[in-house]
Amino acid sequence: MRSGLVPEKTAGENGAIVSTVLDISVVVPVRDEVESLPLLLEAIASTISASQLSYEIICVDDGSTDGSAEFLKQQAQTRSDLKAVILRRNYGQTAAMSAGFNHALGKAIVTLDADLQNDPADIPILLAKLEEGYDLVSGWRHKRQDAALSRLLPSKIANWLIGNITGVKLHDYGCSLKAYRAEVLADMNLYGELHRFLPALAYIEGARITEIPVRHHPRRFGRSKYGLSRTFRVMMDLLTISFMKKFLTRPMHVFGLLGLFSMVTGTIIGIYLTFVKLVLGEMIGNRPLLILAVLLLVTGVQLFSFGLLAELLMRTYHESQGRPIYRVREVVAKSVN
Ligand code: UDP
Ligand code: MG
């Protein structure tokens, strides 16, 4: 084995031991890709074995109905470099990738699609970038081979939005071909369609991120599992991420401030109306301002208490999992013994 990307064993920040006994784990989510699989396995194996690194391929079958699972199981019994993880039903690409990460033993983890749209020949280039000291290297499909209107346009807009909102400027978040240091992934939990936000999540965890152009081929077999409806789900996840990035450890800063502002404005209007009623002796029952004052006071109290609840939840989130609110890259100290 060659010089490692990370130490042989690293304790994750949350105390869990991340055992890394191989150089590379290649994680592939698979749903109905039986025609591509033989070619894919060959391509990955030949690329990586040329580099003398120890590796494993983890194919996660995500509820396929075309025989992919059977093929993978049968292959895994004969090839020593393949681990087949078969999920009970279809959970979606994010969950499939997460299952793969949980079974990975590599110091570096590479993800790619099963449909041969990503080119396994790019894996060594990504790994070389990791060796330069990055924690995450993202592929950029600079000549993307997908339908212009239904895929490329929404993706352009999404990339622009994600870049601006998350602050991680990449050209192509949707590209599955990425390489990570195992320790960075160990700190992250995935939900929804969050796999495309892994760079943003990693950035929240303090990772060093870069991108490099990679090849992209048209789909040869089967068809894409996604349509336009994905755009909406991605946008919702983007909202979650942007909130998490800014306020995860301090929800009161946003809810408390809004609530306070609302309460103060409501109180001022209320005092004014009291003055009008008691001193000037005018009727205030029919004034829209009265409704506004009441509304501001009520929402203010709600926002404020919501902020307090969010603070409690945030503390539970961190403390129950032993998740610190920071991530240490390394600790350097002169050994005393
Ligand atoms: N995939 C999966 N579960 C799903 C949908 C897709 O594991 O529910 C896998 C699929 O087999 C492929 C990858 O995720 O390896 C990307 O899917 P696809 O190629 O359909 O997406 P596109 O490249 O068109 O965005
Ligand atoms: Mg694809």
Side-chain angles (χ1 to χ4, degrees), residues 113 115 117 219:
D113 282 352
D115 54 8
Q117 288 197 267
R219 218 177 215 285

Side-chain angles (χ1 to χ4, degrees), residues 288-310:
L289 213 51
L290 183 64
I291 302 176
L292 182 66
V294 173
L295 201 68
L296 282 173
L297 277 173
V298 174
T299 41
V301 172
Q302 282 192 342
L303 279 170
F304 204 80
S305 29
F306 196 81
L308 282 176
L309 281 179

